[in-house]
Each structure stands twice: as structure tokens, then as C-alpha cells.
Amino acid sequence: QVHLEESGGGLVQAGGSLRLSCATSGFTLDVYAIAWFRQAPGKAREGVACLSNSDDATYYVDSVKDRFTVSRNNAKNTVSLQMNNLSPEDTAVYYCATNRRLSCSVSGSDYNFWGRGTQVTVSS
């Protein structure tokens, strides 16, 4: 059964960095697209980054471009989100999501499987 579990969240000062990990099981990671989403209290869930299953192409929304980097390690069945130069606006619960043979997308409706999320808090 497909299972995703995020880790690496925590408290960081503005301008700092944090690396999130998504441990996966129950599927072949290299044939699944992976995306990261986040949701702040009172706000809708938003996609932030994705990694294609076909060609490892990446996509980042404008708010995180040049600050966030998504990557996968197929041998370890993990996906990472490196977040640099964090700001308080990045504070949210971060989720990883996946779907088989899906190209890069940051639309939540394109994903069938989700982790439970990890909290990221950025202080001023």
C-alpha cells in the first residue's frame, strides 16, 4: 500500500534553511510524480514544487523559485525539499503527495496519495 511520511519540519529563523524529507513505500518511486504542498491555518492548500516521474523535470511556484529545491533518491525511496532563505510567509504544514505516472503538477487534484504533513514555522 502506498505510504508517505514527511519529516524534518521545525522552527527556524527568517533567512534560515530547512530540509524536509518524504519517506515512501508501497510503490516504485521512480515511476511516480512527487509534489510538495503546504497549508497555513485559515488558508487553502497550495502547491509549491513538483518533480516529474518521467524526466526529473522540476517546477516551482513563483513564491519559492530560487529558494526551494526538490529532489528524489530512488535507492532510499525518499524525496527531499531543501528550503533556503525562509520567511514567515513560508510557515505552514508541508505535505508530500504522489500519483503513478503523473507528470509534474502542483495541482492537488492530480494526486491520490498524501502524507500527514510536517509543521514548518519561520520566525521573524
Side-chain angles (χ1 to χ4, degrees):
Q1 192 69 29
V2 173
H3 179 76
L4 307 173
E5 184 174 353
E6 303 91 342
S7 63
L11 177 65
V12 65
Q13 287 185 282
S17 298
L18 205 60
R19 187 177 182 88
L20 306 182
S21 294
C22 178
T24 72
S25 63
F27 64 100
T28 303
L29 182 60
D30 63 352
V31 299
Y32 277 69
I34 298 289
W36 287 92
F37 294 80
R38 65 186 181 186
Q39 187 168 22
K43 295 186 177 181
R45 179 182 58 194
E46 65 169 340
V48 296
C50 64
L51 176 63
S52 174
N53 65 342
S54 60
D55 58 3
D56 286 334
T58 58
Y59 174 79
Y60 305 91
V61 297
D62 289 343
S63 60
V64 306
K65 282 182 178 178
D66 302 318
R67 298 191 299 119
F68 289 13
T69 303
V70 64
S71 61
R72 72 169 81 217
N73 187 322
N74 292 330
K76 296 183 178 180
N77 297 316
T78 60
V79 175
S80 296
L81 182 68
Q82 178 67 43
M83 305 183 294
N84 298 326
N85 193 25
L86 288 163
S87 69
E89 289 71 29
D90 297 314
T91 295
V93 176
Y94 283 72
Y95 302 87
C96 60
T98 191
N99 197 29
R100 182 175 172 82
R101 299 178 179 178
L102 183 69
S103 59
C104 199
S105 169
V106 291
S107 174
S109 63
D110 287 336
Y111 296 90
N112 294 331
F113 306 102
W114 298 79
R116 292 185 178 274
T118 185
Q119 177 71 49
V120 172
T121 302
V122 185
S123 62
S124 300

